[in-house]
Each structure stands twice: as C-alpha cells, then as structure tokens.
Amino acid sequence: MQYQAKLAANLPLFYVYTILNNFILDRAIWMLFLLSRGFSLSQIALIESAYHCMNFLFEVPTGYVADRYGKRASLLVGQAVAVLSSGLLLWGNHWTVIVLGFMLGALVGTFQSGATSALVYETLKLLGKEQQFKRYNSHLMAVMLVALGISGMVGGAVSEVDWAWVYFGKVVLSLLSFAVVLFLTEPHTEEAMAAGMAGETKYSFMKQLGTAYAYARTSKAFLTLSVFGAILYSMSWSIAFYSQVVFRDIGLNNSTIGLINGLETWVSAAVAGVAFIVERWLRPRGTILFTGIGFILFLIMFSISSTSVQVLAAFFLMAIVISYLEPLLEAYLNELLPSAIRATMLSVFSMFISIGMMITFSGIGFLADWTGLSAALKLILMGWVPLCLAAIGLALKFNPKK
C-alpha cells in the first residue's frame, strides 16, 4: 500500500516536471541564435543533421539504460547533461563549443524520449489505470505545449536583451527539473521487485538489442505506426524550425516570432487536451487517415502560399493536426509494447524520427541555399508526399483493429 501511495504521488509530479522540462527558452529562436553567431543555413542544416545523428546512435543505448537501470535514473542523467549543454552555449564563444553544446542537447533528448512516456505508462499500469493513458497523455501534452508557448515568447523577448540570459535560464530550469525527478518513484512490476532489479529487463545490452530487433521484425503494427509517425513528425519539426527564417524574411522581429510560436502552442495545447475525446469519434484508423491527409494538404498550402495570412493559416493548421496526433500515437505504441522493452522500443521510434530529420531538414537546408527556401519546400514535397501516402496506407493495412 505504501508503494502504491508513492506511485500515486508521481501523477502530480509529472505535471510539474512537464512544465519545467518543456519551458525551452530557445525553442522558437535557436536557428536565429546560430545565424547571429555567423552560421549559414547549410551549416545549420549540418548541425541539425549531426544532432539527429546523435539521436540515432544513442536512442537505443539510452533506452536500454531506462529499461535496465530505471526510467527515473535515465531522466536524472538527462537533466545533468542538459545543465552541461546549456552551460556550453552560455559561456562558449568558439563555434566548436557551440556545436558541442547542441550535440549534448541531442544526448539529453535520448535519455528522455523513451523513459518519460514509459515512466508515465508504467505508473498508470501498476495503479490499474492504464486505460486512462490516452486522456492523461492528452492532458500532459496540453500542459507541455502551453509551457512551450510561454517559453517561446519569453525566450524571444529575453534574446533581444542578451542571448546569455536565454541559456542561463535553461541551466536553472534543468536544475529544477533534476530536483523534481528526485521525488519520483520508479514503477516496478512484481517480478522486477522480486529479482531486485532497478529496471524491468534482466538482459544484457546485446540481448536486449536482439529482443528489440525480433519484436520489430514480428510486429508490423509497431513498425508501420513508427514509420508513419516518423515521416509526419520529421517534416512537421523541419517546417517549425524553418518557419523562423520564413517569418524573419517577411519582416518579423524575434519577439513577434516568439509570440507567433506561443500562440501556435496554445492552440495546439487546446487540441491536444481534447484529442482523446475526438478520437472516440474518429477512432484510431480515422485518426491515422485524417492526420496524414490533412497534414499533406496544409503543407502544400504552406509551401505555395504567397501572402503572410495564408502562410500563417497553413502554419497553424499543420500544428493542429500534429498536436492532435501526438498523444494518441504515443498511446497506440505503448499499448503494443511489453514492459521489459518499452523504453527501448519507444527509443527505436525516436530513432526513426531522427533518420527522417537528417534527411528532411538537411535536404531543405541545402536546397534553400541553392534555390531559396520557398523553392526548396516545393522541390522536397515532390518526393515526400508519395512517401507519406505510402506510409498512411501501410499503417492502415497492418493495424486493422486500430
């Protein structure tokens, strides 16, 4: 009973952690920071590709850390690395220090990506509330987006005073997040507790890798949902980042760009907060079809629009579609996964996103330096749209119950 009470105390702490961990002051302006330090769009594309290469290489090893040594331990390491990452960006002047700071930021994400969702799901599962994960995750996603929105506006305003305040603030927020994680209780199955294990798996890393590979090969439902999500998210995130440059080019300053991103996340937060209700009507298959086709149409609108009103409308519509999908897709994946490899497989999903980002973001960046950003977006759609349509079809085919 005492252990159950400690687990129940995790639930409000998740909200506090979500706010602090997602109050990302440079979320809407990090590309502008690099441009202010003399980097070109091609160089920024290379940095972003290297960032996601780090994600690709370390997602599964850090996912194993969460499954073997505990999700809480993984989050603590992640916050410690976050302090170092922001510190390098705060005090570093040479380009090598700045790049290293960003690469360590990628490592932070790998320690958090699988562990965070797995920690929430396993807590609810041990409390007998796993059927509430869609609702709970929708609410957490809404809180996260509100935090992102406010932090985007704050970061934009603070950066106009001094960029140093942005990264000093990130150091403080990481320290506060670390303190919150210390109060979380690690969820364990009875088997893990009886075996005295810190996490849920007893396997060595290579054995865990083999188990994960075997699962991915046999679970076409997991594989096709992961590819579908990765294709959508990699383009969505790329557009979100390059929109900073688009908005700057139409004459908006850092504060206004931060405000637009703040408004976008507030709208997205409202959508994410009710996603589980809308999904009762659309159902999983309808959700896959609606979000996939909807995003394609709004992306085309964003790419061919000639006025600022049309660009902003498409930008907000794309955000609405993705924010509806995110908490639900995470729930669909968690429902498929066994506890012993949950964090590892969620990290595999993040690894797919990293592959997509390396291709999509760098492709847009190099094309933009050659033809201009507007033409680059139109060119890359010629290959991306057919790929996304194929991913939608496969996700529907291999998830018949969804």
Side-chain angles (χ1 to χ4, degrees):
M1 289 297 290
Q2 186 177 7
Y3 180 63
Q4 291 286 307
K6 288 182 178 180
L7 280 179
N10 279 358
L11 301 181
L13 287 174
F14 286 144
Y15 285 101
V16 179
Y17 175 76
T18 298
I19 293 170
L20 293 172
N21 190 54
N22 291 282
F23 205 87
I24 305 172
L25 293 171
D26 65 344
R27 180 247 180 184
I29 53 174
W30 67 270
M31 286 185 69
L32 302 179
F33 170 73
L34 290 177
L35 288 170
S36 74
R37 293 298 186 267
F39 291 86
S40 68
L41 284 179
S42 294
Q43 290 170 331
I44 293 173
L46 286 174
I47 291 172
E48 181 68 5
S49 295
Y51 183 100
H52 288 284
C53 185
M54 285 280 289
N55 283 342
F56 177 81
L57 293 173
F58 288 97
E59 278 290 359
V60 171
T62 54
Y64 172 74
V65 168
D67 279 329
R68 183 67 181 87
Y69 301 103
K71 287 79 175 173
R72 178 174 171 271
S74 184
L75 295 182
L76 287 172
V77 174
Q79 293 303 330
V81 177
V83 172
L84 178 58
S85 170
S86 297
L88 290 174
L89 295 172
L90 171 61
W91 288 295
N93 291 317
H94 196 270
W95 70 268
T96 55
V97 179
I98 293 173
V99 171
L100 179 59
F102 272 97
M103 294 307 100
L104 287 176
L107 193 59
V108 172
T110 65
F111 278 106
Q112 295 175 344
S113 60
T116 305
S117 180
L119 184 60
V120 176
Y121 191 87
E122 290 295 335
T123 295
L124 290 171
K125 184 177 180 180
L126 291 179
L127 291 172
K129 298 179 179 180
E130 66 267 31
Q131 72 279 2
Q132 299 181 25
F133 182 74
K134 286 180 185 176
R135 177 177 65 84
Y136 196 79
N137 204 39
S138 290
H139 292 165
L140 281 176
M141 187 70 67
V143 169
M144 180 196 78
L145 289 167
V146 170
L148 286 172
I150 296 174
S151 65
M153 290 190 296
V154 173
V158 170
S159 70
E160 293 191 338
V161 178
D162 193 329
W163 281 104
W165 285 108
V166 173
Y167 292 102
F168 176 75
K170 291 192 70 174
V171 169
V172 173
L173 288 163
S174 294
L175 290 172
L176 291 173
S177 298
F178 185 93
V180 172
V181 176
L182 286 175
F183 287 97
L184 292 173
T185 299
E186 180 73 25
H188 295 297
T189 61
E190 291 183 3
E191 292 84 355
M193 293 179 70
M197 294 190 300
E200 294 301 323
T201 184
K202 62 181 182 297
Y203 297 142
S204 66
F205 174 66
M206 293 308 297
K207 178 67 174 177
Q208 185 83 344
L209 202 62
T211 304
Y213 176 71
Y215 178 84
R217 284 190 61 187
T218 56
S219 179
K220 288 185 171 61
F222 171 83
L223 194 61
T224 54
L225 281 177
S226 296
V227 171
F228 165 71
I231 290 172
L232 253 65
Y233 292 171
S234 59
M235 180 58 79
S236 172
W237 295 355
S238 295
I239 293 297
F241 293 147
Y242 279 109
S243 68
Q244 300 171 33
V245 181
V246 173
F247 296 152
R248 184 204 62 179
D249 290 345
I250 60 175
L252 303 182
N253 59 28
N254 288 6
S255 295
T256 305
I257 293 171
L259 176 62
I260 290 171
N261 277 275
L263 292 174
E264 175 262 307
T265 52
W266 290 344
V267 172
S268 297
V271 174
V274 298
F276 72 101
I277 298 174
V278 178
E279 193 255 3
R280 293 172 187 168
W281 174 64
L282 278 181
R283 309 302 299 169
R285 288 176 63 84
T287 292
I288 294 169
L289 191 62
F290 164 72
T291 54
I293 299 298
F295 186 82
I296 289 173
L297 294 176
F298 298 140
L299 177 59
I300 293 172
M301 176 181 169
F302 182 86
S303 302
I304 66 175
S305 294
S306 56
T307 68
S308 58
V309 173
Q310 292 172 336
V311 169
L312 286 171
F315 175 74
F316 277 91
L317 288 169
M318 285 188 291
I320 288 171
V321 168
I322 293 298
S323 61
Y324 167 72
L325 175 65
E326 285 182 333
L328 301 175
L329 184 58
E330 198 169 282
Y332 300 157
L333 293 173
N334 269 293
E335 288 168 358
L336 294 170
L337 297 171
S339 295
I341 58 170
R342 187 180 307 282
T344 301
M345 295 310 300
L346 290 174
S347 290
V348 169
F349 171 50
S350 295
M351 188 175 69
F352 288 159
I353 298 174
S354 295
I355 295 171
M357 282 296 291
M358 283 188 282
I359 297 170
T360 305
F361 190 91
S362 60
I364 294 173
F366 282 106
L367 284 172
D369 275 347
W370 177 45
T371 65
L373 186 54
S374 178
L377 291 174
K378 295 181 180 68
L379 286 171
I380 205 160
L381 282 182
M382 296 174 64
W384 183 86
V385 170
L387 186 64
C388 188
L389 289 172
I392 294 169
L394 290 172
L396 292 173
K397 178 180 178 181
F398 290 106
N399 288 272
K401 295 181 181 180
K402 294 287 184 190

